[in-house]
Amino acid sequence: MKTYCLELSGPYACFTRPEMKVERVSYDMMTPSAARACFEAILLKPAIRWHVRKIEVMKPIRWINLRRNEVASVVSTRNVETAMKSGKGDLGLYIEEDRQQRAGLFLRDVSYRVHADLEFLAARDPQANAAKYHEMFERRASKGQCVNQPYLGCREFAAAFRLVAKPDDEATPIDETRDLGFMLHDLDFSHPADPQPRFFRARLENGAVAIPAWDSEEVRG
């Protein structure tokens, strides 16, 4: 199976730990779900599925404390549905009335190399073949094209991306090995109304984390 490598970088990143209910605190590095979302930002079709296999940390892990303004609420689904049916409605959020300050522990000056492969689901597009989607991704990624801007955990932390053709000819990851504890792998959408998080024990080995398969025993709900 063909594996692709994307280099993702940015001045800030926040891969929020789900156990933190109020203040945002990032994991030490990019999570598999965040990496998958970056590939999907370049190419996402019903007939394909991305699987992240390895994440390499290219710059030392550094932190920054920031306090920022956030909007405390979201527009309710019921109000949106009512507006769609009636053709009118007040869906605005007034920042001055709904603003709150929150502190966050974020990553700064980050760079990752993410290795992932594309699974072709033939049943969802019987008229197509896998080569078609491989060509689409390669063309888009090499030209810097994307459906939406990839981001590093939070949408305000945009990611610059580059398709790496020969990872072995590039710089090596950071020289660090340590246990990162349990990390979010991805969400299980078997029940869309109630997605459940699944975790794995992440270990940084010479600057790289091997990502176990979704259906392996290492991934737990």
Side-chain angles (χ1 to χ4, degrees):
M1 187 174 293
K2 188 170 185 178
T3 300
Y4 292 106
C5 178
L6 278 183
E7 181 184 87
L8 301 160
S9 59
Y12 300 104
C14 180
F15 309 105
T16 308
R17 292 180 176 272
E19 64 267 27
M20 302 300 178
K21 300 297 184 182
V22 179
E23 312 296 351
R24 291 186 184 272
V25 176
S26 177
Y27 283 108
D28 291 40
M29 59 168 287
M30 176 176 257
T31 60
S33 58
R36 170 187 55 77
C38 289
F39 277 86
E40 292 178 346
I42 299 172
L43 180 65
L44 175 61
K45 299 288 184 181
I48 66 171
R49 180 181 296 140
W50 287 103
H51 298 282
V52 176
R53 304 303 184 186
K54 183 171 68 172
I55 301 175
E56 296 175 298
V57 182
M58 306 308 296
K59 289 186 177 182
I61 300 171
R62 297 194 292 175
W63 301 88
I64 185 171
N65 283 297
L66 288 178
R67 183 175 294 276
R68 59 183 184 165
N69 294 325
E70 294 187 5
V71 177
S73 58
V74 297
V75 177
S76 72
T77 304
R78 180 175 297 179
N79 288 349
V80 173
E81 292 174 346
T82 301
M84 291 174 65
K85 292 176 182 178
S86 64
K88 60 181 180 180
D90 184 9
L91 301 180
L93 289 176
Y94 301 96
I95 296 176
E96 297 299 333
E97 299 175 3
D98 212 21
R99 176 182 291 163
Q100 60 183 14
Q101 280 199 338
R102 289 186 177 180
L105 182 60
F106 304 144
L107 298 166
R108 64 185 179 95
D109 193 22
V110 301
S111 179
Y112 305 101
R113 274 205 311 252
V114 181
H115 302 257
D117 53 61
L118 181 157
E119 178 187 3
F120 174 55
L121 309 175
R124 298 188 180 183
D125 193 353
Q127 302 302 317
N129 57 62
K132 164 187 170 182
Y133 294 105
H134 283 283
E135 292 171 2
M136 289 174 64
F137 177 78
E138 291 171 8
R139 183 176 65 253
R140 290 186 182 184
S142 62
K143 293 182 178 180
Q145 298 174 337
C146 53
V147 179
N148 53 71
Q149 181 65 42
Y151 54 92
L152 299 167
C154 295
R155 287 191 179 273
E156 59 264 43
F157 300 148
F161 67 91
R162 177 176 69 94
L163 180 64
V164 181
K166 297 180 179 180
D168 293 339
D169 295 341
E170 301 276 333
T172 57
I174 62 173
D175 184 17
E176 187 172 343
T177 297
R178 60 186 171 96
D179 188 1
L180 298 178
F182 281 99
M183 177 181 288
L184 177 69
H185 189 291
D186 215 322
L187 294 175
D188 183 358
F189 288 97
S190 300
H191 303 285
D194 185 27
Q196 295 296 312
R198 300 190 69 186
F199 301 86
F200 74 106
R201 190 66 179 259
R203 180 167 178 78
L204 191 66
E205 292 280 358
N206 297 319
V209 173
I211 310 302
W214 173 256
D215 55 358
S216 69
E217 294 183 356
E218 298 176 58
V219 181
R220 306 174 184 178

